[in-house]
Every structure is written in structure tokens, then in C-alpha cells.
């Protein structure tokens, strides 16, 4: 669970950085998208890096979901009867929402892949015109225009779920690796969780927000 989680933390951090290229304009963003496909040539085929990432991420996803199911079943086996009264005094909101937040993120990831990668769905004006769907920057901008405010709402809700998941997930990973043996180290791990959550989820949220308000156009 911790190992696959760390893989995802590193991936979303790099992915978030790439998304921020949208602030540099269409040419810079599309050059970045194309560079991901040509990276490593001629040692790697066209798109080779992306396929390596997809295999690693798919394996990590299977491991992460599998570990979550196994841990949930183990916890249920330890206490098959629910508490008559349960008070969450020590647990954080992010820890209590990990399961449903994970399901929310899984559904969002499927949509996100369909939206920008697999089907390249243009939810804005212009339909499935190639000049939009085959242009990463224009597809991005068209998805978050003011008329598509609901798309912005979906993505911001997903980023809220991501923030909660990253907050507790980062702390749990640090704890699993044995770096929270003192009160001070536990406090630092919680701070690290907040920093990772705010930087990554906040960074992802900037693009739809600045697009819907017309800064990115």
C-alpha cells in the first residue's frame, strides 16, 4: 500500500508540474505534450516513455486497490460486529474518508483518461473536430470554459478528494516506513501530508480555475 502510494505521489507531482505549462501558452504546452512522446528517441520508440509509465501506473493501481481490499477484509475479520457507539476523537477527516475518497478518485481517473487520453472527449463547443481533440492545449481550454462550469466543479471536487487522500496517505506511508517513532517525527509527517496535499491538489486546481476566469485562453 505504501510503496504503490509513493509511486502515485511522485507521478501526480510530475503531472501537476506538466499541467502548469498551460500558463506558458499553447506552444509551450503542446511542445511539452509532444516531448513526452519523443522522450528517449531513438533508444525508445515514439511514445515509449508513456507506455512504460502506463504499465508502472497500472501495476501500482492494481497493487494499491488490492492492498486496500485486503486491509479492509482483514479489519472486518478482526471485528465482524460494528461498534454500538463509535466516536472518532483521534482520527482525522482525511483518514475517515480514505475508502470513499479512493473510490471517488478511481471513478475520476477513468473519466480523466477518457476525457484527455483515450477518447479525447471535447465537452465544449466545436464537437470532436480534430483541430481541438488533437490539440492538447485547445482540448484543455475548451473543457474549462465558463459554459462548462460543471466540468470545473467536477475537477475541483476530485481535487478535494485527492487532497484528503494525499494528506492521510503521505502520513501513512511515512509511518509504514518507520519514520514516525517519536512525537516530533509524527508531527513532521502530518505537516508533510498537508504540504503534499496542498501543493499537488492546489496546483492541479489552478488550471481549471484560471481557465474558467479567462486567464488561460
Amino acid at each position: 500500500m505504501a510503496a504503490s502510494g509513493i509511486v502515485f505521489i511522485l507521478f501526480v507531482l510530475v503531472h501537476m508540474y506538466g499541467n502548469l505549462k498551460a500558463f506558458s501558452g499553447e506552444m509551450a504546452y503542446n511542445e511539452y505534450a509532444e516531448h513526452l512522446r519523443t522522450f528517449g528517441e531513438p533508444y525508445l520508440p515514439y511514445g515509449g516513455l508513456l507506455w512504460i509509465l502506463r504499465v508502472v501506473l497500472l501495476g501500482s493501481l492494481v497493487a494499491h486497490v488490492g492492498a486496500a481490499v485486503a486491509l479492509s477484509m482483514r479489519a472486518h475479520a478482526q471485528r465482524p460486529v460494528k461498534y454500538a457507539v463509535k466516536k472518532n476523537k483521534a482520527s482525522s477527516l482525511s483518514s475517515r474518508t480514505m475508502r470513499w475518497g479512493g473510490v471517488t478518485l478511481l471513478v475520476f481517473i477513468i473519466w480523466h483518461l477518457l476525457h484527455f487520453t483515450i477518447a479525447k472527449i471535447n465537452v465544449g463547443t466545436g464537437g470532436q473536430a480534430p483541430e481541438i481533440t488533437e490539440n492538447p492545449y485547445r482540448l484543455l481550454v475548451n473543457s474549462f470554459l465558463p459554459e462548462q462550469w460543471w466540468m470545473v466543479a467536477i475537477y475541483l471536487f476530485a481535487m478535494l478528494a485527492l487532497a484528503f487522500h494525499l494528506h492521510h496517505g503521505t502520513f501513512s506511508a511515512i509511518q509504514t516506513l518507520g519514520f514516525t517513532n517519536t512525537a516530533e517525527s509524527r508531527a513532521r509527517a502530518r505537516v508533510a501530508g498537508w504540504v503534499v496535499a496542498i501543493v499537488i491538489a492546489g496546483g492541479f486546481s489552478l488550471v481549471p480555475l484560471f481557465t474558467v476566469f479567462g486567464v488561460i485562453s
Side-chain angles (χ1 to χ4, degrees):
M1 192 73 166
S4 56
I6 291 172
V7 170
F8 281 121
I9 290 172
L10 294 175
F11 170 74
V12 292
L13 181 61
V14 174
H15 186 25
M16 181 272 294
Y17 169 78
N19 269 22
L20 295 180
K21 290 284 185 179
F23 285 96
S24 300
E26 183 175 353
M27 184 177 294
Y29 187 83
N30 286 347
E31 283 180 353
Y32 166 75
E34 181 63 18
H35 183 66
L36 290 177
R37 290 163 174 77
T38 59
F39 185 89
E41 288 185 340
Y43 300 102
L44 291 175
Y46 182 80
L49 174 65
L50 290 179
W51 278 108
I52 292 172
L53 287 174
R54 287 163 184 160
V55 170
V56 171
L57 290 173
L58 181 60
S60 298
L61 180 63
V62 171
H64 205 67
V65 174
V69 172
L71 289 172
S72 180
M73 292 176 62
R74 185 186 302 173
H76 181 72
Q78 292 294 319
R79 178 169 286 278
V81 180
K82 292 184 177 181
Y83 289 104
V85 178
K86 185 180 179 182
K87 295 181 179 180
N88 299 303
K89 291 184 177 181
S91 62
S92 63
L93 178 62
S94 57
S95 67
R96 297 195 298 274
T97 57
M98 283 296 281
R99 185 176 302 173
W100 294 112
V103 173
T104 300
L105 288 174
L106 182 59
V107 172
F108 172 74
I109 289 169
I110 294 171
W111 160 247
H112 185 62
L113 289 173
L114 290 171
H115 184 193
F116 286 118
T117 304
I118 299 172
K120 297 181 181 178
I121 303 170
N122 176 29
V123 297
T125 56
Q128 291 299 103
E131 59 267 23
I132 296 175
T133 58
E134 298 305 319
N135 185 315
Y137 181 83
R138 292 187 183 183
L139 181 60
L140 174 75
V141 172
N142 238 39
S143 299
F144 300 124
L145 293 174
E147 295 80 7
Q148 278 69 250
W149 60 266
W150 52 274
M151 278 293 297
V152 178
I154 289 173
Y155 270 77
L156 292 181
F157 179 77
M159 291 308 101
L160 180 63
L162 178 63
F164 281 125
H165 211 73
L166 286 172
H167 171 239
H168 184 68
T170 301
F171 173 81
S172 294
I174 295 173
Q175 185 178 51
T176 299
L177 296 174
F179 297 125
T180 57
N181 296 323
T182 64
E184 292 79 8
S185 61
R186 285 193 294 275
R188 287 194 296 269
R190 290 190 180 93
V191 171
W194 280 118
V195 170
V196 169
I198 292 171
V199 168
I200 295 178
F204 273 123
S205 300
L206 291 178
V207 173
L209 282 173
F210 276 75
T211 304
V212 76
F213 289 123
V215 178
I216 298 174
S217 62

